[in-house]
Amino acid sequence: MYQKPIPLKTQDNQPYWDAADRHELMLQKCQTCHAYNHPPGPACAKCGSTELNWESQGCHITGTIYSYVVSYRPFLPGFQDELPTIIVVVQLDHLQEVKIIGNMLDCPPEEIKIGMPVKMIWQDITEDRALPQWIQA
């Protein structure tokens, strides 16, 4: 049984999470300045426009580790059984201006490094919810 908090779907992020539940990456894009807006929000983080739409990026997502932190303490209830937790910021290969945060799975902390190639997978946590996560490519 999944014990960690499940991210809530909101008015601003529902298309992102609905796509994740289908094992697909969907990104918000500004129609005014054409910047990708991630994490999604009510307005473009670059220009402030509210003219936003959603673009599918498919299901084969790769990138490189831009930054990471290794946590040896549970920062929320439910994480105590999966320590250490490696949280990565991944720069997408096909959209280098986009960085996505997630957990690095199946990687010992001593092997993690900036620039490591990774690929996105979707971890089914309930019957109808999936989380984007990262593994070594």
Side-chain angles (χ1 to χ4, degrees), residues 16-39:
Y16 176 83
W17 288 114
D18 286 348
D21 294 342
R22 297 187 307 268
H23 295 193
E24 174 186 0
L25 177 63
M26 191 82 91
L27 293 176
Q28 197 176 49
K29 187 172 183 180
C30 178
Q31 295 306 292
T32 303
C33 73
H34 307 290
Y36 286 92
N37 197 46
H38 190 80

PDB file of all heavy atoms in Angstrom, residues 16-39:
ATOM      1  N   TYR A  16      -1.396  18.050 -16.448  1.00  0.00           N
ATOM      2  CA  TYR A  16      -0.109  17.401 -16.202  1.00  0.00           C
ATOM      3  C   TYR A  16      -0.307  16.050 -15.525  1.00  0.00           C
ATOM      4  O   TYR A  16       0.235  15.030 -15.968  1.00  0.00           O
ATOM      5  CB  TYR A  16       0.780  18.315 -15.347  1.00  0.00           C
ATOM      6  CG  TYR A  16       2.089  17.684 -14.954  1.00  0.00           C
ATOM      7  CD1 TYR A  16       3.169  17.705 -15.825  1.00  0.00           C
ATOM      8  CD2 TYR A  16       2.247  17.068 -13.714  1.00  0.00           C
ATOM      9  CE1 TYR A  16       4.384  17.110 -15.473  1.00  0.00           C
ATOM     10  CE2 TYR A  16       3.449  16.478 -13.354  1.00  0.00           C
ATOM     11  CZ  TYR A  16       4.517  16.512 -14.234  1.00  0.00           C
ATOM     12  OH  TYR A  16       5.713  15.915 -13.886  1.00  0.00           O
ATOM     13  N   TRP A  17      -1.099  16.037 -14.444  1.00  0.00           N
ATOM     14  CA  TRP A  17      -1.304  14.796 -13.696  1.00  0.00           C
ATOM     15  C   TRP A  17      -2.184  13.806 -14.448  1.00  0.00           C
ATOM     16  O   TRP A  17      -1.976  12.589 -14.371  1.00  0.00           O
ATOM     17  CB  TRP A  17      -1.836  15.084 -12.294  1.00  0.00           C
ATOM     18  CG  TRP A  17      -0.780  15.686 -11.431  1.00  0.00           C
ATOM     19  CD1 TRP A  17      -0.762  16.958 -10.916  1.00  0.00           C
ATOM     20  CD2 TRP A  17       0.436  15.058 -11.003  1.00  0.00           C
ATOM     21  NE1 TRP A  17       0.387  17.149 -10.200  1.00  0.00           N
ATOM     22  CE2 TRP A  17       1.147  16.003 -10.239  1.00  0.00           C
ATOM     23  CE3 TRP A  17       0.999  13.800 -11.203  1.00  0.00           C
ATOM     24  CZ2 TRP A  17       2.376  15.730  -9.662  1.00  0.00           C
ATOM     25  CZ3 TRP A  17       2.230  13.517 -10.639  1.00  0.00           C
ATOM     26  CH2 TRP A  17       2.908  14.473  -9.879  1.00  0.00           C
ATOM     27  N   ASP A  18      -3.171  14.287 -15.195  1.00  0.00           N
ATOM     28  CA  ASP A  18      -3.983  13.382 -16.013  1.00  0.00           C
ATOM     29  C   ASP A  18      -3.105  12.662 -17.035  1.00  0.00           C
ATOM     30  O   ASP A  18      -3.248  11.460 -17.262  1.00  0.00           O
ATOM     31  CB  ASP A  18      -5.107  14.135 -16.731  1.00  0.00           C
ATOM     32  CG  ASP A  18      -6.245  14.547 -15.801  1.00  0.00           C
ATOM     33  OD1 ASP A  18      -6.301  14.064 -14.646  1.00  0.00           O
ATOM     34  OD2 ASP A  18      -7.068  15.375 -16.243  1.00  0.00           O
ATOM     35  N   ALA A  19      -2.171  13.393 -17.647  1.00  0.00           N
ATOM     36  CA  ALA A  19      -1.246  12.788 -18.610  1.00  0.00           C
ATOM     37  C   ALA A  19      -0.311  11.804 -17.907  1.00  0.00           C
ATOM     38  O   ALA A  19      -0.055  10.710 -18.420  1.00  0.00           O
ATOM     39  CB  ALA A  19      -0.449  13.868 -19.337  1.00  0.00           C
ATOM     40  N   ALA A  20       0.190  12.176 -16.740  1.00  0.00           N
ATOM     41  CA  ALA A  20       1.072  11.267 -15.995  1.00  0.00           C
ATOM     42  C   ALA A  20       0.342   9.964 -15.679  1.00  0.00           C
ATOM     43  O   ALA A  20       0.931   8.881 -15.770  1.00  0.00           O
ATOM     44  CB  ALA A  20       1.559  11.929 -14.710  1.00  0.00           C
ATOM     45  N   ASP A  21      -0.925  10.062 -15.344  1.00  0.00           N
ATOM     46  CA  ASP A  21      -1.709   8.863 -15.059  1.00  0.00           C
ATOM     47  C   ASP A  21      -1.818   7.953 -16.281  1.00  0.00           C
ATOM     48  O   ASP A  21      -1.997   6.750 -16.149  1.00  0.00           O
ATOM     49  CB  ASP A  21      -3.103   9.234 -14.555  1.00  0.00           C
ATOM     50  CG  ASP A  21      -3.075   9.925 -13.195  1.00  0.00           C
ATOM     51  OD1 ASP A  21      -2.054   9.829 -12.493  1.00  0.00           O
ATOM     52  OD2 ASP A  21      -4.079  10.588 -12.851  1.00  0.00           O
ATOM     53  N   ARG A  22      -1.657   8.527 -17.494  1.00  0.00           N
ATOM     54  CA  ARG A  22      -1.656   7.751 -18.748  1.00  0.00           C
ATOM     55  C   ARG A  22      -0.231   7.395 -19.184  1.00  0.00           C
ATOM     56  O   ARG A  22      -0.026   6.915 -20.288  1.00  0.00           O
ATOM     57  CB  ARG A  22      -2.322   8.557 -19.868  1.00  0.00           C
ATOM     58  CG  ARG A  22      -3.765   8.897 -19.663  1.00  0.00           C
ATOM     59  CD  ARG A  22      -4.376   9.558 -20.901  1.00  0.00           C
ATOM     60  NE  ARG A  22      -3.650  10.711 -21.395  1.00  0.00           N
ATOM     61  CZ  ARG A  22      -3.884  11.980 -21.043  1.00  0.00           C
ATOM     62  NH1 ARG A  22      -4.840  12.253 -20.160  1.00  0.00           N
ATOM     63  NH2 ARG A  22      -3.174  12.970 -21.560  1.00  0.00           N
ATOM     64  N   HIS A  23       0.756   7.721 -18.335  1.00  0.00           N
ATOM     65  CA  HIS A  23       2.188   7.489 -18.628  1.00  0.00           C
ATOM     66  C   HIS A  23       2.649   8.331 -19.814  1.00  0.00           C
ATOM     67  O   HIS A  23       3.331   7.863 -20.716  1.00  0.00           O
ATOM     68  CB  HIS A  23       2.481   6.012 -18.871  1.00  0.00           C
ATOM     69  CG  HIS A  23       2.248   5.167 -17.664  1.00  0.00           C
ATOM     70  ND1 HIS A  23       2.686   3.881 -17.593  1.00  0.00           N
ATOM     71  CD2 HIS A  23       1.636   5.408 -16.478  1.00  0.00           C
ATOM     72  CE1 HIS A  23       2.350   3.360 -16.419  1.00  0.00           C
ATOM     73  NE2 HIS A  23       1.703   4.290 -15.725  1.00  0.00           N
ATOM     74  N   GLU A  24       2.309   9.602 -19.754  1.00  0.00           N
ATOM     75  CA  GLU A  24       2.653  10.564 -20.801  1.00  0.00           C
ATOM     76  C   GLU A  24       3.062  11.870 -20.121  1.00  0.00           C
ATOM     77  O   GLU A  24       2.526  12.222 -19.078  1.00  0.00           O
ATOM     78  CB  GLU A  24       1.417  10.775 -21.683  1.00  0.00           C
ATOM     79  CG  GLU A  24       1.536  11.838 -22.725  1.00  0.00           C
ATOM     80  CD  GLU A  24       0.201  12.074 -23.452  1.00  0.00           C
ATOM     81  OE1 GLU A  24      -0.805  11.413 -23.152  1.00  0.00           O
ATOM     82  OE2 GLU A  24       0.179  12.973 -24.309  1.00  0.00           O
ATOM     83  N   LEU A  25       3.987  12.605 -20.747  1.00  0.00           N
ATOM     84  CA  LEU A  25       4.382  13.913 -20.218  1.00  0.00           C
ATOM     85  C   LEU A  25       3.676  15.009 -21.004  1.00  0.00           C
ATOM     86  O   LEU A  25       3.767  15.077 -22.227  1.00  0.00           O
ATOM     87  CB  LEU A  25       5.902  14.104 -20.321  1.00  0.00           C
ATOM     88  CG  LEU A  25       6.422  15.466 -19.855  1.00  0.00           C
ATOM     89  CD1 LEU A  25       6.143  15.686 -18.368  1.00  0.00           C
ATOM     90  CD2 LEU A  25       7.905  15.599 -20.147  1.00  0.00           C
ATOM     91  N   MET A  26       2.970  15.864 -20.278  1.00  0.00           N
ATOM     92  CA  MET A  26       2.284  17.006 -20.862  1.00  0.00           C
ATOM     93  C   MET A  26       2.860  18.257 -20.213  1.00  0.00           C
ATOM     94  O   MET A  26       2.967  18.327 -18.988  1.00  0.00           O
ATOM     95  CB  MET A  26       0.779  16.889 -20.575  1.00  0.00           C
ATOM     96  CG  MET A  26      -0.065  17.850 -21.338  1.00  0.00           C
ATOM     97  SD  MET A  26      -0.394  17.282 -23.007  1.00  0.00           S
ATOM     98  CE  MET A  26      -1.901  16.392 -22.765  1.00  0.00           C
ATOM     99  N   LEU A  27       3.254  19.231 -21.040  1.00  0.00           N
ATOM    100  CA  LEU A  27       3.839  20.467 -20.521  1.00  0.00           C
ATOM    101  C   LEU A  27       2.997  21.668 -20.927  1.00  0.00           C
ATOM    102  O   LEU A  27       2.460  21.728 -22.035  1.00  0.00           O
ATOM    103  CB  LEU A  27       5.265  20.660 -21.040  1.00  0.00           C
ATOM    104  CG  LEU A  27       6.304  19.665 -20.559  1.00  0.00           C
ATOM    105  CD1 LEU A  27       7.640  19.930 -21.232  1.00  0.00           C
ATOM    106  CD2 LEU A  27       6.449  19.706 -19.050  1.00  0.00           C
ATOM    107  N   GLN A  28       2.929  22.628 -20.032  1.00  0.00           N
ATOM    108  CA  GLN A  28       2.230  23.876 -20.278  1.00  0.00           C
ATOM    109  C   GLN A  28       3.152  24.799 -21.075  1.00  0.00           C
ATOM    110  O   GLN A  28       4.354  24.901 -20.788  1.00  0.00           O
ATOM    111  CB  GLN A  28       1.889  24.503 -18.926  1.00  0.00           C
ATOM    112  CG  GLN A  28       0.839  25.555 -18.960  1.00  0.00           C
ATOM    113  CD  GLN A  28       0.517  26.042 -17.554  1.00  0.00           C
ATOM    114  OE1 GLN A  28       1.410  26.358 -16.779  1.00  0.00           O
ATOM    115  NE2 GLN A  28      -0.771  26.088 -17.227  1.00  0.00           N
ATOM    116  N   LYS A  29       2.584  25.488 -22.080  1.00  0.00           N
ATOM    117  CA  LYS A  29       3.380  26.391 -22.911  1.00  0.00           C
ATOM    118  C   LYS A  29       2.640  27.711 -23.084  1.00  0.00           C
ATOM    119  O   LYS A  29       1.429  27.749 -23.306  1.00  0.00           O
ATOM    120  CB  LYS A  29       3.644  25.770 -24.288  1.00  0.00           C
ATOM    121  CG  LYS A  29       4.604  26.582 -25.124  1.00  0.00           C
ATOM    122  CD  LYS A  29       4.990  25.857 -26.398  1.00  0.00           C
ATOM    123  CE  LYS A  29       6.009  26.676 -27.164  1.00  0.00           C
ATOM    124  NZ  LYS A  29       6.400  26.007 -28.416  1.00  0.00           N
ATOM    125  N   CYS A  30       3.398  28.801 -22.971  1.00  0.00           N
ATOM    126  CA  CYS A  30       2.847  30.146 -23.129  1.00  0.00           C
ATOM    127  C   CYS A  30       2.652  30.454 -24.612  1.00  0.00           C
ATOM    128  O   CYS A  30       3.560  30.254 -25.420  1.00  0.00           O
ATOM    129  CB  CYS A  30       3.802  31.165 -22.505  1.00  0.00           C
ATOM    130  SG  CYS A  30       3.242  32.872 -22.682  1.00  0.00           S
ATOM    131  N   GLN A  31       1.482  30.948 -24.960  1.00  0.00           N
ATOM    132  CA  GLN A  31       1.196  31.303 -26.339  1.00  0.00           C
ATOM    133  C   GLN A  31       1.699  32.703 -26.685  1.00  0.00           C
ATOM    134  O   GLN A  31       1.764  33.056 -27.854  1.00  0.00           O
ATOM    135  CB  GLN A  31      -0.310  31.201 -26.602  1.00  0.00           C
ATOM    136  CG  GLN A  31      -0.816  29.779 -26.478  1.00  0.00           C
ATOM    137  CD  GLN A  31      -0.030  28.821 -27.354  1.00  0.00           C
ATOM    138  OE1 GLN A  31      -0.111  28.878 -28.574  1.00  0.00           O
ATOM    139  NE2 GLN A  31       0.752  27.948 -26.734  1.00  0.00           N
ATOM    140  N   THR A  32       2.092  33.481 -25.678  1.00  0.00           N
ATOM    141  CA  THR A  32       2.594  34.831 -25.921  1.00  0.00           C
ATOM    142  C   THR A  32       4.096  34.829 -26.184  1.00  0.00           C
ATOM    143  O   THR A  32       4.555  35.333 -27.203  1.00  0.00           O
ATOM    144  CB  THR A  32       2.258  35.745 -24.722  1.00  0.00           C
ATOM    145  OG1 THR A  32       0.837  35.729 -24.523  1.00  0.00           O
ATOM    146  CG2 THR A  32       2.736  37.163 -24.958  1.00  0.00           C
ATOM    147  N   CYS A  33       4.880  34.244 -25.266  1.00  0.00           N
ATOM    148  CA  CYS A  33       6.348  34.251 -25.423  1.00  0.00           C
ATOM    149  C   CYS A  33       6.912  32.893 -25.832  1.00  0.00           C
ATOM    150  O   CYS A  33       8.106  32.764 -26.064  1.00  0.00           O
ATOM    151  CB  CYS A  33       7.016  34.734 -24.141  1.00  0.00           C
ATOM    152  SG  CYS A  33       6.976  33.545 -22.773  1.00  0.00           S
ATOM    153  N   HIS A  34       6.062  31.873 -25.913  1.00  0.00           N
ATOM    154  CA  HIS A  34       6.429  30.515 -26.351  1.00  0.00           C
ATOM    155  C   HIS A  34       7.360  29.780 -25.394  1.00  0.00           C
ATOM    156  O   HIS A  34       7.991  28.806 -25.774  1.00  0.00           O
ATOM    157  CB  HIS A  34       7.001  30.534 -27.772  1.00  0.00           C
ATOM    158  CG  HIS A  34       6.094  31.220 -28.742  1.00  0.00           C
ATOM    159  ND1 HIS A  34       4.887  30.683 -29.141  1.00  0.00           N
ATOM    160  CD2 HIS A  34       6.199  32.430 -29.355  1.00  0.00           C
ATOM    161  CE1 HIS A  34       4.298  31.524 -29.973  1.00  0.00           C
ATOM    162  NE2 HIS A  34       5.061  32.587 -30.121  1.00  0.00           N
ATOM    163  N   ALA A  35       7.435  30.228 -24.146  1.00  0.00           N
ATOM    164  CA  ALA A  35       8.236  29.535 -23.132  1.00  0.00           C
ATOM    165  C   ALA A  35       7.404  28.410 -22.521  1.00  0.00           C
ATOM    166  O   ALA A  35       6.181  28.524 -22.394  1.00  0.00           O
ATOM    167  CB  ALA A  35       8.668  30.513 -22.043  1.00  0.00           C
ATOM    168  N   TYR A  36       8.082  27.337 -22.150  1.00  0.00           N
ATOM    169  CA  TYR A  36       7.410  26.278 -21.402  1.00  0.00           C
ATOM    170  C   TYR A  36       7.328  26.711 -19.950  1.00  0.00           C
ATOM    171  O   TYR A  36       8.249  27.332 -19.420  1.00  0.00           O
ATOM    172  CB  TYR A  36       8.158  24.947 -21.542  1.00  0.00           C
ATOM    173  CG  TYR A  36       7.947  24.345 -22.898  1.00  0.00           C
ATOM    174  CD1 TYR A  36       8.823  24.618 -23.935  1.00  0.00           C
ATOM    175  CD2 TYR A  36       6.840  23.540 -23.147  1.00  0.00           C
ATOM    176  CE1 TYR A  36       8.611  24.084 -25.199  1.00  0.00           C
ATOM    177  CE2 TYR A  36       6.625  23.007 -24.405  1.00  0.00           C
ATOM    178  CZ  TYR A  36       7.508  23.283 -25.424  1.00  0.00           C
ATOM    179  OH  TYR A  36       7.288  22.764 -26.670  1.00  0.00           O
ATOM    180  N   ASN A  37       6.213  26.407 -19.318  1.00  0.00           N
ATOM    181  CA  ASN A  37       5.927  26.843 -17.958  1.00  0.00           C
ATOM    182  C   ASN A  37       5.838  25.608 -17.069  1.00  0.00           C
ATOM    183  O   ASN A  37       4.797  24.970 -16.997  1.00  0.00           O
ATOM    184  CB  ASN A  37       4.602  27.617 -17.956  1.00  0.00           C
ATOM    185  CG  ASN A  37       4.417  28.453 -16.725  1.00  0.00           C
ATOM    186  OD1 ASN A  37       5.332  29.150 -16.308  1.00  0.00           O
ATOM    187  ND2 ASN A  37       3.230  28.406 -16.145  1.00  0.00           N
ATOM    188  N   HIS A  38       6.965  25.266 -16.424  1.00  0.00           N
ATOM    189  CA  HIS A  38       6.957  24.093 -15.553  1.00  0.00           C
ATOM    190  C   HIS A  38       7.690  24.409 -14.266  1.00  0.00           C
ATOM    191  O   HIS A  38       8.797  24.925 -14.320  1.00  0.00           O
ATOM    192  CB  HIS A  38       7.606  22.887 -16.238  1.00  0.00           C
ATOM    193  CG  HIS A  38       7.385  21.629 -15.456  1.00  0.00           C
ATOM    194  ND1 HIS A  38       6.201  20.932 -15.532  1.00  0.00           N
ATOM    195  CD2 HIS A  38       8.147  20.991 -14.551  1.00  0.00           C
ATOM    196  CE1 HIS A  38       6.273  19.901 -14.717  1.00  0.00           C
ATOM    197  NE2 HIS A  38       7.426  19.910 -14.106  1.00  0.00           N
ATOM    198  N   PRO A  39       7.107  24.131 -13.119  1.00  0.00           N
ATOM    199  CA  PRO A  39       5.807  23.506 -12.957  1.00  0.00           C
ATOM    200  C   PRO A  39       4.677  24.402 -13.448  1.00  0.00           C
ATOM    201  O   PRO A  39       4.817  25.627 -13.477  1.00  0.00           O
ATOM    202  CB  PRO A  39       5.709  23.249 -11.455  1.00  0.00           C
ATOM    203  CG  PRO A  39       6.708  24.141 -10.824  1.00  0.00           C
ATOM    204  CD  PRO A  39       7.765  24.416 -11.839  1.00  0.00           C
TER     205      PRO A  39
END
